[in-house]
């Protein structure tokens, strides 16, 4: 009530602990925010490259062993996780914006959006001839509509953000749009690659 300092709340928990100290040490390395926005961009790029190399390696490994049923199934699981997860995560953001616009609790909508997207990705992986193309197309579509849905659901426009000096949201929107374009480009290339191999 007097405005006097009581205590400094730790980043993890309500009291200082070994876990909180470990989180404070590891957090900047995990999120890459130890040197500002540039380090976050470099950290994201490195993590993306690591994930892509792992996924492409798994797909090559399982593709060479397609005649063995267990490897064929592992290849489908790799496609489901590797290409379905980005679409599922984008659906979480879409569910958040839609829940906010509808005035509902966003957590339940986000969880439902994620679970529905995971299920749809599994169905697409099991029943379509080229699941990578379908999942990349879904990811591209979700990413391209996210900035528009953010704005239409009550978020500030780019003009309002620029006038307020909040360029980070604009940069994130642009990165999301570039990611959507990249997903569509990859889906288009996957279509032409599979057509050429026929």
């Amino acid at each position: 009530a007097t405005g006097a300092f009581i205590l400094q709340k730790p980043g993890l928990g309500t009291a200082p602990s070994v876990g909180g100290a470990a989180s404070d040490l590891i957090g900047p390395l995990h999120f890459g925010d130890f040197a500002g926005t540039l380090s976050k961009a470099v950290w994201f790029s490195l993590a993306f490259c690591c994930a892509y190399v792992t996924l492409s390696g798994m797909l090559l490994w399982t593709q060479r062993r397609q005649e063995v049923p267990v490897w064929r199934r592992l290849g489908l699981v790799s496609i489901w996780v590797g290409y379905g997860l980005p679409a599922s995560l984008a659906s979480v953001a879409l569910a958040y914006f839609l829940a906010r616009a509808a005035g509902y609790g966003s957590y339940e909508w986000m969880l439902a959006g994620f679970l529905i997207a995971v299920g749809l990705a599994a169905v697409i992986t099991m029943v379509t001839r080229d699941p990578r193309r379908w999942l990349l197309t879904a990811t591209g579509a979700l990413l391209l509509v996210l900035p528009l849905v953010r704005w239409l659901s009550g978020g500030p426009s780019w003009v309002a953000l620029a006038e307020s000096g909040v360029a980070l949201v604009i940069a994130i929107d642009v990165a999301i749009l570039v990611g959507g374009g990249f997903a569509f480009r990859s889906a288009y290339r996957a279509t032409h690659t599979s057509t050429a191999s026929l």
Side-chain angles (χ1 to χ4, degrees):
T2 64
F5 177 77
I6 299 173
L7 59 86
Q8 181 176 352
K9 185 182 178 307
L12 182 68
T14 56
S17 65
V18 174
S23 175
D24 290 343
L25 287 173
I26 295 171
L29 288 176
H30 177 74
F31 294 106
D33 59 1
F34 48 82
T37 306
L38 180 61
S39 68
K40 252 185 165 355
V42 169
W43 226 238
F44 173 81
S45 301
L46 291 172
F48 182 82
C49 289
C50 184
Y52 181 76
V53 166
T54 302
L55 175 62
S56 61
M58 286 288 294
L59 293 176
L60 285 172
W61 180 268
T62 55
Q63 189 174 18
R64 290 179 184 161
R65 292 156 179 79
Q66 283 293 302
E67 65 279 354
V68 181
V70 96
W71 289 113
R72 192 176 319 115
R73 284 192 288 273
L74 182 62
L76 286 175
V77 169
S78 299
I79 289 171
W80 176 44
V81 172
Y83 291 95
L85 185 62
S88 300
L89 293 175
S91 72
V92 171
L94 183 64
Y96 170 77
F97 293 135
L98 293 175
R100 184 179 70 181
Y104 294 116
S106 57
Y107 175 75
E108 292 81 10
W109 279 52
M110 291 165 60
L111 181 60
F114 179 76
L115 294 176
I116 290 168
V118 165
L120 287 174
V123 170
I124 288 170
T125 303
M126 289 187 293
V127 302
T128 61
R129 184 165 180 242
D130 190 4
R132 287 189 303 171
R133 179 175 60 89
W134 286 99
L135 293 171
L136 282 167
T137 302
T139 301
L142 285 166
L143 290 176
L144 289 177
V145 301
L146 269 180
L148 180 63
V149 172
R150 179 193 63 76
W151 174 56
L152 292 176
S153 65
S157 67
W158 284 4
V159 173
L161 289 166
E163 288 173 354
S164 302
V166 184
L168 185 60
V169 177
I170 298 172
I172 291 171
D173 280 353
V174 169
I176 288 171
L177 292 171
V178 168
F182 181 73
F184 269 123
R185 179 178 171 268
S186 298
Y188 176 78
R189 287 179 60 201
T191 303
H192 283 280
T193 303
S194 62
T195 305
S197 62
L198 295 175

